[in-house]
Amino acid sequence: MAAQTKGPGGKQPTINDVAALAGVSKKTVSRVINRSEFLTEKTRAAVEKAIEQLGFVPNPQARALAFRRNFLIALLHDNPNAQTVLNFQRGVLDAIKDSDLALLVRPVDRGSDKLLDDVRTFLEKQRPIGAMLLPPISENDELAGLCEDLGVRYVRIGSAPLDDPRHCISSNDREVVAEAVRGLIALGHRRIGFVRGPVGFRSAAEREKGFLEALAEAGLTLPDELNAPGNYRYTAGIEAGEALLARADPPTAIFCSNDEMAAGVLSVAHGKGIKVPAELSIIGFDDSPTATHIWPALSTVRWPIREMGVRASQILVPDFLGPGAKLDEEDNVLPSTLIERQSVAPPPGGSKP
């Protein structure tokens, strides 16, 4: 039967027309439109066929009223790395592009005494179906509890598991950083500098643990003079590079907790006439566009942040994304991978025992 774009009398089709054609109640049609799970496949198919034949377009305001939520996903963040937020956002948009959902991005201040009150007001006003929490605010258990209290679905993104699998997508930062540092040690590097992430970030702590574990396995330690503070910003990399590379006995390799800081260290090296990688090896973390926009191209850990956005959407709103969107628990951990480019080589003088 050809699709019909008008209801009885040439008017736009209504939900009543769909119900009559499908032989069900108006309430059943509403349940199909709002993706209720409490329907047989036969009933769902009949209603969907009637909707297609009539060319019926549900009223979004009416759907939101019936669902008691707006068709929004809220992305809450307080992250100094804009590229991380952008890449995650792209993943979410990839996942929801064929759905009725829209993404609402909300920056917050994790250091504010009013954080919970501000987020509560925002969620109560916007009435999103669900909220995604990016690190570091994803590490705030009270914020997750607030979502639970308000009946807002939530998912937390982290560098290690932060919640049960129904509410969390995580990576394996600690293990992959250890792998990267083992590679430097295998090349012969023994004096390896470290540029930390921000204090209070779980990602920074996990990456530091992986770094120290790899050193300990090789019987090495991290001297205080090679342990530089950082905050995931380019300027912090500049400051760390100036401190580390001005030493009489500078490191032959530096691991930076993200690519922005690695780019800052590389800039300092260029300014001092230090050849990378012949005289200094540098590794970053993220595999952001920065990693391939600088020279030499940066060896780095690829953090699958865009894929995490897709997976987070599949956890949060599988009922809005069609068949096959629901994840198993083992799909909730996305491994990071080491990407080898041109910024790493054996130390000057070749490999040491």
Side-chain angles (χ1 to χ4, degrees):
M1 181 176 179
Q4 178 181 330
T5 58
K6 299 290 182 181
K11 297 180 181 180
Q12 292 293 338
T14 68
I15 193 171
N16 291 323
D17 299 328
V18 174
L21 182 59
V24 298
S25 68
K26 176 180 174 180
K27 188 173 183 179
T28 297
V29 175
S30 179
R31 285 175 174 169
V32 172
I33 292 171
N34 291 313
R35 295 179 170 86
S36 170
E37 297 180 359
F38 305 107
L39 293 166
T40 66
E41 285 305 314
K42 181 179 179 181
T43 298
R44 190 185 305 277
V47 172
E48 290 175 346
K49 182 179 180 181
I51 289 173
E52 182 180 0
Q53 288 179 345
L54 290 172
F56 172 69
V57 179
N59 182 292
Q61 287 78 22
R63 288 188 67 196
L65 184 62
F67 203 71
R68 297 184 181 179
R69 294 284 175 191
N70 288 316
F71 286 80
L72 298 171
I73 295 175
L75 172 56
L76 306 179
H77 74 89
D78 179 10
N79 195 300
N81 191 333
Q83 192 65 52
T84 294
V85 178
L86 179 60
N87 287 344
F88 184 84
Q89 179 178 321
R90 286 172 173 167
V92 176
L93 294 175
D94 287 344
I96 69 173
K97 63 182 179 181
D98 295 324
S99 74
D100 297 325
L101 298 168
L103 178 63
L104 181 62
V105 181
R106 174 76 170 192
V108 300
D109 181 2
R110 70 188 178 100
S112 171
D113 293 338
K114 298 181 179 179
L115 172 63
L116 293 176
D117 290 338
D118 290 345
V119 172
R120 176 184 289 276
T121 299
F122 169 75
L123 294 177
E124 289 178 340
K125 181 178 180 180
Q126 299 299 331
R127 296 188 305 152
I129 288 173
M132 296 179 174
L133 311 178
L134 276 180
I137 63 166
S138 59
E139 297 156 17
N140 187 322
D141 291 337
E142 288 183 304
L143 198 54
L146 173 62
C147 293
E148 191 84 55
D149 291 344
L150 294 176
V152 176
R153 306 178 190 184
Y154 71 91
V155 60
R156 305 162 73 176
I157 315 304
S159 294
L162 302 171
D163 209 317
D164 73 62
R166 297 178 299 118
H167 296 296
C168 185
I169 289 287
S170 61
S171 58
N172 61 334
D173 292 18
R174 183 172 180 173
E175 292 83 356
V176 73
V177 169
E179 176 190 347
V181 177
R182 289 186 195 109
L184 291 173
I185 294 170
L187 287 173
H189 293 279
R190 295 296 180 269
R191 193 165 170 78
I192 304 173
F194 182 63
V195 184
R196 306 192 304 273
V199 174
F201 279 45
R202 180 68 178 270
S203 60
E206 290 295 314
R207 293 167 198 180
E208 184 169 7
K209 288 176 184 177
F211 181 91
L212 295 175
E213 282 180 4
L215 291 187
E217 289 171 6
L220 302 174
T221 58
L222 176 63
D224 289 342
E225 68 268 18
L226 297 187
N227 189 358
N231 61 10
Y232 287 163
R233 300 183 189 275
Y234 177 82
T235 52
I238 294 287
E239 293 171 2
E242 292 286 358
L244 294 172
L245 299 178
R247 305 197 63 80
D249 186 13
T252 62
I254 300 176
F255 181 90
C256 301
S257 294
N258 81 337
D259 291 344
E260 289 294 310
M261 296 192 298
V265 171
L266 180 60
S267 178
V268 172
H270 285 325
K272 292 180 177 294
I274 298 171
K275 297 178 182 178
V276 178
E279 297 174 298
L280 174 69
S281 291
I282 302 175
I283 298 180
F285 195 109
D286 282 337
D287 195 27
S288 67
T290 296
T292 53
H293 292 172
I294 57 179
W295 182 86
L298 189 66
S299 291
T300 184
V301 173
R302 182 178 183 274
W303 196 37
I305 188 64
R306 185 164 181 168
E307 291 86 344
M308 293 172 90
V310 173
R311 297 284 183 92
S313 303
Q314 292 170 331
I315 284 183
L316 193 68
V317 287
D319 45 332
F320 286 83
L321 302 183
K326 192 170 183 179
L327 295 179
D328 294 326
E329 289 187 7
E330 59 266 24
D331 296 323
N332 293 10
V333 179
L334 280 73
S336 298
T337 52
L338 179 62
I339 306 296
E340 298 181 5
R341 295 195 177 100
Q342 290 79 47
S343 65
V344 171
S351 181
K352 300 177 183 180

